[in-house]
Amino acid sequence: MICLGIESTAHTFGIGIMDGEEVLANVTDMYTPSEGGIHPREAAEHHTEVCDEVLEEALDEADLDREDIDLVAFSRGPGLPPCLRTGAVFARSLALSLDVPIVGVNHCIAHIEIGKLKSGAEDPVTLYVSGGNTQVIALSAGKYRVFGEVLDTPVGNALDKFGREAGLEHPGGPKVERNAEQGSKYIELPYTVKGMDMSFSGLMTEAMRKLEDEKLEDVCYSLQETMFAMLTEAVERAMAHAGKDEVLLTGGVAANKRLQGMLETMCEERGASFYTVPHSLAGDNGAMMAWLGVLKYRSSGEDELEDTDFIQNWRTDDVEVTWDK
Ligand code: ATP
Ligand code: FE2
């Protein structure tokens, strides 16, 4: 079955094509704001402008024609309403014109399922860390439960905001990582884990303040050490609580080698296995939508067209996991 998946929840417009478990194409085009944070309406306009071009590029990459597509999947939520609307309209018109079934899928669960497929993890605690999300998730009684999450600013967003304050080019995450590699002095910063939930706003603000009289490299190093220790603690607690012995790291921030290293060490110490996902499939992309589309369609069939409106705050644990039986 050839499934075309569409991602449009935030900055990225992506189209991926899967032939069963095989990625045939995965094309993304990202909106970058001229300054400051994301403007939802501008991002949606970007998606409208590039969607036809991205579709052609994906078909080229897969060496397929439109008529070869058997199923259309799209990210139904959670996300920014104007962006979600653009993706849903594009998906519906494509499915109608090709006369193929359509399925709407949950963005966060798509990250987990493509991660499991590509890494071989079977039943992990997933740490999903990106610009807009920080969640610790595991499957329990037929649903992906959120064991822990961020209470304020998500990790990637906190790194990007700190980066902007430090004069680093957007996105800040990779630049903070590079600077941290040159740092060695640990500067005490606020460490806030409440149960399995985390708060990064105070830490970010304090790190910005430290820039006044500490070296950039040392502040980046201390920021990463503190943030990633918090994430690792929350994941370790979720593993004990849920009784799991695998960790899957995904989302844009999963590219960070220090975060990978800390989780890996924690897993080794517990006799657990650590998995991560290549960046092209860890950040927002269309292939993960296509793969979850395949899983959902195989287990519970297509969606009625009337049921394809976007769901802005679609929670991970609202979704019945019908494909994992
Ligand atoms: P979502 O919609 O899932 O929240 P997103 O729009 O934030 O995703 P992603 O590509 O998943 O997009 O993630 C982008 C984030 O990843 C940015 O905040 C960026 O700074 C961060 N990032 C990328 N590479 C690294 C890295 N090496 N270290 C730390 N953060 C990184
Ligand atoms: Fe995402």
Side-chain angles (χ1 to χ4, degrees), residues 209-226:
R209 216 172 282 143
K210 295 286 183 204
L211 286 169
E212 285 167 22
D213 40 37
E214 300 281 357
K215 271 171 52 190
L216 173 65
E217 291 82 355
D218 290 334
V219 181
C220 290
Y221 168 76
S222 307
L223 178 61
Q224 281 203 168
E225 291 303 299
T226 313

Side-chain angles (χ1 to χ4, degrees), residues 7-24:
E7 157 59 22
S8 77
T9 56
H11 299 73
T12 303
F13 184 82
I15 292 188
I17 303 176
M18 298 287 291
D19 180 2
E21 299 188 356
E22 193 191 346
V23 181
L24 298 184

Side-chain angles (χ1 to χ4, degrees), residues 194-324:
K194 295 172 184 161
M196 282 175 255
D197 293 330
M198 297 143 280
S199 159
F200 295 111
S201 289
L203 166 59
M204 176 188 73
T205 313
E206 191 54 28
M208 287 174 176
R209 216 172 282 143
K210 295 286 183 204
L211 286 169
E212 285 167 22
D213 40 37
E214 300 281 357
K215 271 171 52 190
L216 173 65
E217 291 82 355
D218 290 334
V219 181
C220 290
Y221 168 76
S222 307
L223 178 61
Q224 281 203 168
E225 291 303 299
T226 313
M227 268 186 163
F228 299 165
M230 286 165 59
L231 290 167
T232 304
E233 181 188 333
V235 170
E236 186 169 19
R237 233 180 248 172
M239 290 170 85
H241 199 81
K244 312 274 184 194
D245 57 8
E246 294 176 319
V247 171
L248 173 66
L249 172 64
T250 190
V253 184
N256 192 290
K257 291 278 181 286
R258 180 61 185 138
L259 176 57
Q260 293 178 10
M262 264 196 211
L263 289 165
E264 198 162 12
T265 305
M266 180 270 285
C267 284
E268 271 166 24
E269 283 167 1
R270 292 180 63 93
S273 308
F274 172 73
Y275 302 90
T276 188
V277 194
H279 191 58
S280 61
L281 293 169
D284 287 352
N285 68 87
M288 66 185 188
M289 299 303 151
W291 173 236
L292 182 51
V294 170
L295 290 174
K296 182 176 158 177
Y297 182 76
R298 278 186 193 153
S299 63
S300 52
E302 67 187 291
D303 286 342
E304 297 298 328
L305 215 52
E306 305 81 82
D307 295 332
T308 54
D309 277 345
F310 69 84
I311 311 173
Q312 181 183 355
N313 297 312
W314 198 8
R315 286 194 55 89
T316 308
D317 48 16
D318 274 347
V319 178
E320 200 78 49
V321 179
T322 49
W323 54 88
D324 200 84

